[in-house]
Amino acid sequence: MTQSKQRQQALAPLARSEPWDMLIIGGGITGAGIAREAARRGLAVLLIEQKDFAWGTSSRSSKMVHGGLRYIASGDYKTTLLSVRERERMLTEADGLVNEMHYVMPHYKGKFPPPWIFNTLLRVYDRIAGKRYFKYFKRDAFLRLNPNIKQDKFLGASQFSDAVTDDSRLVMRVLGEATHDGAHVINYLKAESLITNEQGLVVGATLKDTASKDKDQTYKVHAKVVVSATGAWADTLRMQASNETEQSFKKQIRPSRGSHLVVSQERLPTSQAYTFLHPTDKRAVFVFPWENRTVLGTTDLDHPPLNDEEVGITSAEVDYLLAATNSLFDDTDLNREDVISTWAGVRPLISDSGDGKRVSPSKEKRDHSVWLDNNLVTVSGGKLTTFRLIALDVLEKCQQVLALDDTTTQEQAINGDQVFSNKTPTHPKFATLPKSLQQRLQGFYGLQLDNLLELAHEEDLAYVTDSNTIWAEIRFAARFEQVIHLDDLLLRRTRLGLILPHGAMTPLISARLKQICQNELGWDEQKWQQEVARYTELWQRYYHLPAA
């Protein structure tokens, strides 16, 4: 099937004549979670995303599914309790996609936090989880295992556990669950404006196909309730629904940029995550293994007002992360030449003050908020870990507009049905795969894994160079996952553009990619060259190094 036919098929649900029960605007993890919970309750759900699925914050996070250890320190026990429960739930239900990762905090004489304070927090953290993860390593025992870290005044290290994921694949997995239960999801479809009735209530939206060559191609979609899950962009639609001017509207979202560097395991080998305080501003930073590479992150800076453009790291942030890492690891001396790629994302913080200037971004709460404005339900803020609980809060708010099953409470859902539907693949190719790959593919693709294996050619079961990705994943994404551009394939459906040199556009890899895109998407030579040029410019500008 060519790309144009795939697109026609994706857009076909827009011909629906009766109103949808729910129109969800935003295809990140929050929108995906809402679609999942609404569809499983039998609602007619349409989810749209103005760019690609997970294009915004949900492909650019720190990849961590965590309980929020710092919330205990600030006295927010409830947030930690809910986050830890969700972390444990995902570790169980999405094994291979959400994986346990050990973290260590090295302790140094005279530096905060001292071991006794941090270890007390970790014991509480474990009690919440109902499992013992905490260990304390004395100086010599830890240095035997970690000889590269700074040894001067080193006392020992505390170990605890959280989890790591591929955030954009988590979005695709949840969207797959929603689709399985009847939801329709479409990318590259922008909500240009809201539709209101005579009473001023929001009853739908005018949508623009941003992937179409016809710039005037729009669709009017009506829904009983419209949900804006646009994250850091949430104020835009809220202002439309409130009928206020930009001058009088009180903005709630404070965009905060978090940036990361990717280096090779050869330059900085890690089998666990390190968390430590930056020597300059004492913020917590991380160094952790991900996709056979090492990631350095993250920053936390106020970001300028958002538009529809990509977000990239700044030169100052590159220096900041390199300085932090070199302060912990003796003789590593990482520099810009070691950087394989970068990524930056914008977190939607809910500001305590109207001007967003009261505290530093790192001290803003990570809670989510849900608003109802003239039938528009808006949600923003929160964490990747608690996406399901955020979705349940949204459905509860939607009950003020739309008749829903009144059992959608958090406590019941926590102990209720699984979020992720799992079954053992039956395709004979599955048994031939290594156990680690079986686990990964089951976590990444769930109910769709048999389809992936059925589509795969024999040579597609090989890994793409030294990545964890097999060629079959690329073929499956191109055929079934609404790939419009090359960056959809290399930066979100797979992460090859982040972990391979030159954004994965080396001669051998690009030749194979071209063949798959021609076979699965019907791209001719001209289209391939256009996409390569587009992707290369985008990668150089936003996913590599800025000018020094």
Side-chain angles (χ1 to χ4, degrees), residues 323-356:
T325 307
N326 288 330
S327 75
L328 179 65
F329 295 93
D330 278 342
D331 303 321
T332 299
D333 195 25
L334 286 179
N335 58 61
R336 287 172 175 250
E337 292 181 359
D338 296 311
V339 176
I340 298 171
S341 71
T342 69
W343 79 77
V346 178
R347 311 174 188 92
L349 303 183
I350 310 300
S351 182
D352 282 341
S353 59
D355 58 7

Side-chain angles (χ1 to χ4, degrees), residues 289-303:
W290 183 71
E291 294 295 315
N292 295 345
R293 303 294 182 267
T294 299
V295 176
L296 325 178
T298 174
T299 58
D300 201 355
L301 300 166
D302 280 314
H303 189 77

Side-chain angles (χ1 to χ4, degrees), residues 361-380:
S362 297
K363 293 181 181 179
E364 289 277 22
K365 293 182 179 179
R366 262 41 177 186
D367 294 346
H368 65 277
S369 293
V370 185
W371 302 274
L372 177 61
D373 304 278
N374 295 321
N375 273 17
L376 175 72
V377 176
T378 302
V379 58
S380 192

Side-chain angles (χ1 to χ4, degrees), residues 18 50 71 99 232 395 439 507 543:
E18 54 195 289
Q50 69 167 337
Y71 302 133
N99 300 305
L395 291 189
Q439 180 187 34
Y543 293 90

Side-chain angles (χ1 to χ4, degrees), residues 13-83:
L14 299 180
R16 177 188 172 102
S17 57
E18 54 195 289
W20 296 84
D21 291 327
M22 183 179 291
L23 168 63
I24 301 168
I25 302 170
I29 189 59
T30 300
I34 298 165
R36 167 72 177 119
E37 294 300 326
R40 73 192 301 193
R41 287 160 177 79
L43 299 183
V45 177
L46 174 64
L47 177 145
I48 63 159
E49 162 58 45
Q50 69 167 337
K51 297 281 190 178
D52 186 29
F53 302 125
W55 175 85
T57 310
S58 294
S59 61
R60 309 160 191 255
S61 74
S62 294
K63 321 303 181 197
M64 296 178 185
V65 175
H66 64 94
L69 184 60
R70 73 182 183 89
Y71 302 133
I72 302 177
S74 63
D76 190 354
Y77 183 85
K78 181 180 178 182
T79 297
T80 305
L81 173 66
L82 295 175
S83 299

Side-chain angles (χ1 to χ4, degrees), residues 437-455:
L437 181 57
Q438 289 181 352
Q439 180 187 34
R440 175 185 171 90
L441 293 178
Q442 279 187 283
F444 274 40
Y445 298 97
L447 298 175
Q448 302 179 75
L449 181 50
D450 276 326
N451 291 334
L452 182 148
L453 294 171
E454 178 63 32
L455 183 65

